[in-house]
Amino acid sequence: MTTQSHPQPAPAPLPGARPGRDPDRAIKRGPRRVSAEVVAATQRDRLFDGLVHEVATKGYDNARVSDICHAAGVTRPAFYALFTGKEDAFLAAYRHGIAVVSQLMEDAYREAGPAWPDAARAALRTLLEVLASVPAFARMALVEVDAAGPDARRERDGLLTSFRRFFADAGLGPALADVGRDELVSTVVGGIYATVRGRVARGRAAELPELLPVLTYAAMAPFLGTEGAIQATRPIRPDDGPSTTAPCVPAHHS
């Protein structure tokens, strides 16, 4: 019995992957007007892109709503029809972007399995390559999130907690009575996040894929031991597949 394949839906774009004033998303005027829902969705996407670029360039505190609207080619009344203010727009863009990145990591983890070292390394590689492909989003989501208020910081903490799922299949780790597995996983995740954030904060997001060996080793060693981590830390091979860029990134950025 054969199963009929169905086309996969197009992946959602990562905020910041396109300019806000993308001509392909201009609202066409004329007798065939699009629905209000489509207009709002298009304006929302453009505002996400405009916000990410403005926040990455000027910092959260210095990026004004008027700047975001100008970068997106959207009016202030349209902005306030969608968001209550800059913080609300930031949170919406952050949540949307993190959902896109997380889904790409989940896909990579699942496709590279079933061995945990291969799956976890694939998810980590995807994280680094996707963030490197959209440096503006990387800066907004990893650096400027600290300035965006307590709700944004809670979202960031929730993200780090969610990343623990990639260690569910890692095994028991060291047999030390004083080492709790939850604390160990939290320490590993926090260390990876801090290393990635530091590279982005220094304006070197494009170099993130270079961190794959050291971060792979750091992620694996507590659970596999030194020798197992060394085996998992290997150069990228042809059978690993091509690099992963965020959806909608222009080809010359990949």
Side-chain angles (χ1 to χ4, degrees):
M1 179 179 178
T2 59
T3 57
Q4 184 177 7
S5 62
H6 297 280
Q8 296 296 317
L14 187 66
R18 299 172 289 179
R21 288 177 173 267
D22 182 2
D24 292 338
R25 290 179 290 167
I27 304 298
K28 303 294 190 298
R29 300 185 183 280
R32 293 186 177 180
R33 294 183 178 179
V34 296
S35 67
E37 291 79 8
V38 171
V39 171
T42 300
Q43 291 175 330
R44 182 174 179 269
D45 282 348
R46 287 166 55 180
L47 284 165
F48 280 173
D49 290 320
L51 181 146
V52 168
H53 287 293
E54 288 298 304
V55 168
T57 301
K58 299 176 180 177
Y60 177 82
D61 290 335
N62 295 324
R64 302 173 300 177
V65 169
S66 57
D67 299 328
I68 295 167
C69 291
H70 182 266
V74 174
T75 65
R76 285 175 64 92
F79 175 93
Y80 283 107
L82 294 166
F83 309 110
T84 60
K86 182 174 69 171
E87 181 179 356
D88 185 38
F90 182 98
L91 287 170
Y94 180 87
R95 289 168 181 149
H96 177 81
I98 291 303
V100 171
V101 174
S102 295
Q103 185 60 59
L104 292 170
M105 292 176 66
E106 289 274 9
D107 293 345
Y109 186 92
R110 182 180 63 255
E111 292 168 6
W116 176 74
D118 293 336
R121 180 179 177 277
L124 184 55
R125 178 191 175 194
T126 296
L127 171 67
L128 297 174
E129 290 177 346
V130 169
L131 292 178
S133 72
V134 188
F137 178 79
R139 183 164 191 91
M140 172 262 195
L142 273 71
V143 179
E144 295 303 325
V145 66
D146 294 334
D151 288 342
R153 291 190 288 273
R154 277 191 288 271
E155 290 284 336
R156 186 265 323 278
D157 294 342
L159 169 66
L160 295 181
T161 299
S162 75
F163 279 169
R164 294 162 58 90
R165 69 191 185 278
F166 294 111
F167 292 84
D169 303 319
L172 297 177
L176 298 177
D178 294 335
V179 176
R181 177 180 170 79
D182 289 346
E183 289 75 14
L184 179 61
V185 173
S186 294
T187 300
V188 172
V189 170
I192 291 172
Y193 182 89
T195 302
V196 173
R197 184 193 182 283
R199 187 66 64 99
V200 173
R202 294 193 294 274
R204 298 165 61 187
E207 302 172 6
L208 286 177
E210 298 174 6
L211 295 174
L212 182 61
V214 67
L215 295 184
T216 298
Y217 182 86
M220 306 292 174
F223 305 97
L224 304 179
T226 301
E227 292 302 319
I230 290 174
Q231 292 179 14
T233 305
R234 55 173 174 76
I236 293 175
R237 301 182 306 211
D239 59 352
D240 287 328
S243 61
T244 303
T245 58
C248 296
V249 170
H252 65 275
H253 286 182
S254 57

